Amino acid sequence: MKAWICVPLMALALAGCAGKTAYRDTCGSQLDAAWHELDLAKAEGFAGTVSYSKALSLLTAAKTQQQFEGFEGCSNKAEKARFYIRESRAGR
């Protein structure tokens, strides 16, 4: 293969990798914070609320997306879960 063809292909491949991992750190930090907040809500006795259940479902889905490198979806779900955890702790 000619060198002038390889260079653009390599650049395209590297750009694809960078785009795939753009949310990796956000996903991890959002998940860590959300699991910690969920534990606090459980300790405070809010584990039976609907909001708590929604948060737990979202965190489970976010973790699955993280494992399959769906970092943007993971980050979004973890952020939504944190909203429901706050709602749970507020008694809603």
Side-chain angles (χ1 to χ4, degrees):
M1 190 176 273
K2 302 263 185 205
W4 58 272
I5 293 175
C6 291
V7 173
L9 290 177
M10 287 176 30
L12 184 61
L14 290 175
C17 291
K20 190 173 187 177
T21 60
Y23 287 87
R24 182 190 310 253
D25 293 337
T26 305
C27 167
S29 63
Q30 287 278 10
L31 273 176
D32 289 345
W35 282 114
H36 177 71
E37 292 166 5
L38 194 70
D39 287 342
L40 290 176
K42 183 177 181 180
E44 293 169 353
F46 294 110
T49 66
V50 173
S51 294
Y52 182 94
S53 298
K54 287 180 183 180
L56 183 58
S57 294
L58 284 165
L59 285 178
T60 302
K63 184 63 178 175
T64 300
Q65 284 192 309
Q66 182 189 38
Q67 292 172 335
F68 288 99
E69 297 183 4
F71 299 118
E72 184 175 4
C74 164
S75 180
N76 292 338
K77 282 182 177 55
E79 188 176 337
K80 285 181 188 176
R82 293 181 76 190
F83 167 78
Y84 283 115
I85 293 166
R86 287 189 299 274
E87 290 292 298
S88 173
R89 293 177 79 187
R92 296 184 280 252

